[in-house]
């Protein structure tokens, strides 16, 4: 966490009671509802009580824009850079809204791509128009939080000069949900990503996040107006890796919920046969990002995270 | 048909080839696709071929407004009025966009209501911003056509002084689809509504429609800007009747497709227990509209429609 | 006020501090800002301080639907009905979103129309998705309030069978603003409409409104989902009358602000020359509504309103 | 131009007659209109004829996303790279829709920034949902073309790792218009950028563009669905340079129109005083891009462009 902007008191959006809103498709209509305390039933606003496990989910957000933090976890910073020190300030990229996907969505992997990586994250959803706020004020503009999977086709890492439009922007590459949650202290939660039920990423948000959402909102809103519904993806911890068709990817954040998606093969685009555009590439740099650098991460985890956790244990 | 504005040539939107676009939810993402010639398979734009029968449908439209013609079929005009002559010009009401529903949707009937009526119709979808057009020009602003069911809770006929907000505006009361079709000569098509598989409404659009979509668009656009995606519901023929939970209602229009919805019971709204708002009413006027006037329609059908059909047969 | 649902405590949206948000166009970009205490300056969110009098205003709302109460003032009820008793429950109609207009807008009057009537109103803006709420709960779904002018082309009163699509739905017929206000006790405010600076309508909202916004929201949301940004127009007091090109119409609500529009002539639509659609009509019924019934209102005002005001004076 | 995808015939969107649609704010309402042949008058859809020079313009587009080509002119490729050869395929970044600005807009330059650069471009506007198209098919998905200014705060070039979110994404940094044009052969047009009336960029689109819009659409739509209204910015020729408050920047494209914006100073964001986020930076790399490399460009222009123009002269 960025210690220059400590919380003086818990912001309203993180104080209870916990409220989780979900949006489902029944027949051909979308309905909003509120999760019941037992977390197995969804009370639709029209009074119907449905089994949350059986529902067909839509994204619980309708943003005008989606902005993502490149790196906001110390473990990810270590893993992806040569220097052991994170950058002094966060950096960002955008995902198009056509990438949105809901809980239990299909995450499409074209036949000519090899490296589709998961990144478990939490998303911040904007509630009110925000421009030119300080970090202290920024909390008031947050509607709530969602689990999210910022999926990426790393085969396109060599192109787009850092914007990652094709790495991160393809249709279906942003599962988000199942619900939009407020009334939970985000900084006490733990994020875990699962592939086929096995934990592949894990981070305590309070211990390991470099910048809080209040800092990020204040940073972006220096120059860019955030509108109600806009989504900010808060970065992923270390151990983003590639998955294959048939794999089930989940992002669980305690207090927020568990989001699931299934990797699904589609054929290569028709324009690929005409050699249109940058071809998916299998380079050393692509492999380095797609397949990761376990030794460096292991070193870091051993030294730093245990210390952080020990410190928290003593607070 | 309004004979003051005959077609000089078939407009482009009614000339072939026939193209049907549908929008489906797979996992948590919406995808557009084009129906294949055999009408059993939908080719998604990303290349996947899916079974059209198994798909989960979204409305194929995202209008900013929905305007409906009160009466545009001579048989309906006869049925609902004392005078045998239709009004000289069409009249309209609005449905909120929250009423939209897709193919195979649930059509909600609250427990405190008794008379949920079907009205099979065709919908016109606007393709380009339109204001101040003549009937001749109006064709160029049409994107395509869809089957639709303009459902109504006739229990609220006694209130809202003719706007029908609560009769026609409740959530789910506008199933539309399965697809958006262009390249079909609308005036050669036949509309049929089915309840549990039995034909309950039938009309030949060219013979029995009083006003064509070009006339209606020119009429509305005298004062109101129509935006891309806006929907105009073109009225229903005679024999709108009430249906009950469990009933399957379908509107089939040859050339356009067959739309289905299922009547589904929900509990009465919570505010009903507090006596908030106009209570659903079972009055003679409500019954007259909900249950219809078969003798008058029978008389009309015998005399007029057979003549019209005979005349068409000789053209 | 509907006495079955008294306020137990002042809802948050009516408690201070007062906040007024406005949206302006500068060059080709829209900007939000907050009015400063002196009410002559608008602080844009990007830090600029501009003269509120010189700004170019956009509507401070972007609704998916606009629902209007037919009659919600006792004086208007008396004026427009034969019975001295208002209807037992409110009734509604819709206006299309293309009718939206901002502060200092031009209110268009086509050359073939004679009776463009003003109706000063307050609008309620929805802040959160609302369905199936009780009146007590409904307050939490309100974002704020705006002055509004529900203008109507009474020449079309004879058509549309009560939906008033063409009376109330034409482009520009809903000036709203200048701002969206929260933190003001609506029930202590007075609404006044001015034509060319002369008061033509006046009503104390707390004394003369029949139904509060909480009741109306609970009523509509029995069957219809209200979405963030949706607008409800709360009806006008007596003395709606016709205005002519060049007239300046204003609706001032103490605590909320003063909205202005100018009646502007445009030519008749091109389709009028082809006799498309219901022609503007000058009938006794049209004149009755457009020009009003002063004697009945005078009677009512003498007997009832003075009593209400006297009673308030003694509270 | 990419010669692998030559035009077999002029696409419909580039065949006459020329139609230019503009969107203006009058009072508080937006109106669409069509430019008259003399180019000094705009015929609003409601029939009014207004002086195009006096109008208040809104962007003629409402995109769900904006995608920009990094480099699509050979002169710009030479200027910004070490290698004399352009990249083999186009690369892209996104601009948020909050950056949109209209003709005669104010282009905001914060007090803590030094290098606000112009980039004159043409924009392509999508007319129909597009995914998985070939370059040949892609033309059918284009609605029309607009002049645009892809403004950038180069002070943030050192951050965001290539996404350029803060360089290109700030509010007001995308003036576009004055209108949306179809019916013009884009490849025969010349783009010129002016600062205070002096030509600062010039390029013949057919001669100097590396990739046509059909290629770019086919490339992006391999993985990303383009929706109606989406905007693609097609890159700028050489000589992007910094401008200062008070400067008037224009982009004129023959056949499309002349777009104007004025650089306007605003104060630094409030969070800057708290050192939130990456500070605007004045580094050698920033200066290299902001101030340009004239000697390399001069060399290129001398050798290559004259040859291209000569060749065209002989065709």
């Amino acid at each position: 966490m960025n210690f220059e902007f400590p919380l003086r008191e818990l912001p309203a959006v993180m104080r209870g009671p916990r409220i989780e809103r979900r949006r489902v498709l029944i027949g051909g209509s979308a309905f909003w509802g509120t999760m019941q305390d037992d977390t197995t039933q969804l009370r639709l606003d029209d009074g119907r009580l449905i089994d949350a496990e059986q529902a067909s989910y839509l994204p619980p957000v309708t943003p005008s824009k989606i902005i993502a933090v490149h790196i906001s976890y110390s473990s990810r910073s270590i893993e992806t850079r040569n220097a052991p020190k994170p950058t002094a300030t966060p950096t960002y990229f955008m995902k198009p809204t056509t990438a949105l996907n809901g809980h239990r969505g299909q995450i499409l992997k074209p036949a000519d791509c090899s490296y589709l990586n998961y990144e478990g994250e939490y998303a911040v959803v904007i509630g009110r128009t925000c421009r030119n706020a300080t970090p202290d004020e920024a909390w008031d503009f947050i509607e709530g939080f969602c689990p999210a999977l910022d999926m990426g086709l790393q085969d396109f890492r060599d192109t787009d000069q850092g914007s990652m439009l094709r790495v991160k922007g393809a249709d279906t590459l942003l599962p988000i949900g199942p619900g939009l949650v407020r009334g939970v202290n985000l900084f006490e939660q733990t994020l875990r990503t699962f592939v086929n039920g096995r934990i592949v990423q894990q981070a305590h948000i309070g211990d390991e996040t470099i910048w809080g959402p209040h800092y990020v909102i204040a940073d972006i809103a220096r120059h860019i107006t955030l509108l109600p519904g806009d989504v900010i993806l808060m970065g992923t911890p270390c151990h983003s890796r590639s998955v294959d068709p048939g794999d089930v990817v989940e992002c669980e954040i305690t207090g927020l919920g568990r989001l699931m998606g299934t990797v699904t093969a589609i054929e290569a685009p028709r324009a690929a046969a005409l050699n249109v555009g940058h071809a998916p590439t299998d380079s050393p740099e692509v492999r380095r990002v797609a397949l990761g650098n376990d030794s460096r991460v292991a070193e870091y985890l051993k030294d730093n995270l245990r210390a952080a956790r020990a410190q928290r244990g003593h607070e």
Side-chain angles (χ1 to χ4, degrees), chain A:
Chain A
M1 274 289 297
N2 183 295
F3 291 102
E4 295 181 60
F5 298 98
L7 303 184
R8 285 193 294 240
E9 58 174 339
L10 205 56
V13 70
M14 300 215 290
R15 284 199 301 267
R18 179 185 186 275
I19 296 170
E20 179 177 357
R21 298 278 293 165
R22 296 187 182 187
R23 191 160 154 254
V24 298
L25 189 79
I26 301 183
S29 276
F31 299 92
W32 280 99
T34 303
M35 284 303 290
Q36 302 300 289
D37 288 341
D38 63 0
T39 76
T40 65
Q41 291 195 298
L42 179 65
R43 173 73 72 181
L44 300 186
D45 289 354
D46 61 24
R48 284 179 286 175
L49 200 58
I50 67 169
D51 181 348
E53 279 307 301
Q54 302 302 319
S56 178
Y57 285 99
L58 294 164
V61 293
T62 48
S64 78
K65 60 178 161 287
I66 302 166
I67 296 175
V69 181
H70 278 109
I71 307 276
S72 189
Y73 286 80
S74 43
S75 62
R76 182 70 174 161
S77 176
I78 293 295
E79 182 183 34
T80 58
R81 285 155 190 286
N82 293 318
K85 210 166 70 60
T87 54
T89 54
T91 65
Y92 309 99
F93 63 96
M94 291 185 71
K95 283 176 91 105
T97 54
T98 31
L100 282 168
N101 202 343
H103 178 46
R104 289 207 210 97
Q106 293 188 354
I107 303 164
L108 299 181
K109 183 176 180 183
D112 55 355
C113 289
S114 302
Y115 302 109
L116 173 63
N117 275 42
Y118 57 78
E119 299 189 3
E121 314 206 351
Y122 74 90
V124 177
V125 182
I126 298 297
R128 296 192 296 121
T129 301
C130 179
R131 173 85 158 81
N132 203 16
T134 65
D136 267 3
E137 297 164 350
W139 291 108
D140 287 341
F141 297 93
I142 301 178
E143 177 76 17
F145 308 101
C146 312
L149 283 161
D150 178 16
M151 306 298 297
L153 284 171
Q154 299 295 339
D155 307 70
F156 291 109
R157 177 153 285 271
D158 285 351
T159 186
D160 287 334
Q161 306 183 40
S163 82
M164 296 209 279
L165 177 70
R166 264 139 340 156
V167 176
K168 296 295 188 72
D171 293 357
T172 76
L173 295 196
L174 181 52
I176 187 166
L180 171 59
V181 178
R182 57 182 296 135
V184 168
N185 185 341
L186 188 72
F187 296 141
E188 293 181 351
Q189 310 307 319
T190 294
L191 178 157
R192 290 183 189 87
T193 308
F194 301 81
V195 173
N196 301 327
R198 195 171 55 86
I199 295 181
V200 292
Q201 292 187 297
Q202 178 167 326
H204 184 270
I205 291 174
D207 286 352
E208 302 176 45
T209 304
I210 306 173
W211 296 286
H214 57 320
Y215 183 94
V216 163
I217 289 171
D219 182 9
I220 297 170
R222 287 187 297 163
H223 305 102
I224 297 174
T225 298
L226 294 169
L227 297 176
D230 282 356
V231 166
I232 303 174
L233 299 170
M234 291 295 294
T236 198
C238 65
H239 282 298
S240 159
R241 296 291 181 274
S242 292
V243 284
D244 292 309
D247 284 345
V248 172
V249 184
E250 292 168 289
C251 174
E252 181 185 62
I253 299 174
T254 56
L256 298 189
R258 186 167 179 152
L259 166 73
M260 193 261 268
T262 304
V263 181
T264 304
I266 56 168
E267 61 195 55
R270 293 164 58 226
L274 303 171
N275 292 318
V276 169
H278 184 87
T281 305
D282 190 347
S283 71
E285 165 65 8
V286 163
R287 289 192 175 216
R288 189 184 67 78
V289 176
L291 306 179
N293 184 332
D294 285 334
S295 61
R296 183 183 297 151
V297 171
E299 189 81 8
Y300 170 76
L301 290 174
K302 195 178 65 185
D303 295 349
N304 293 49
L305 281 188
R306 286 184 192 166
R309 284 172 188 153
Q311 185 180 14
R312 178 158 51 96
H314 291 293
E315 281 171 1

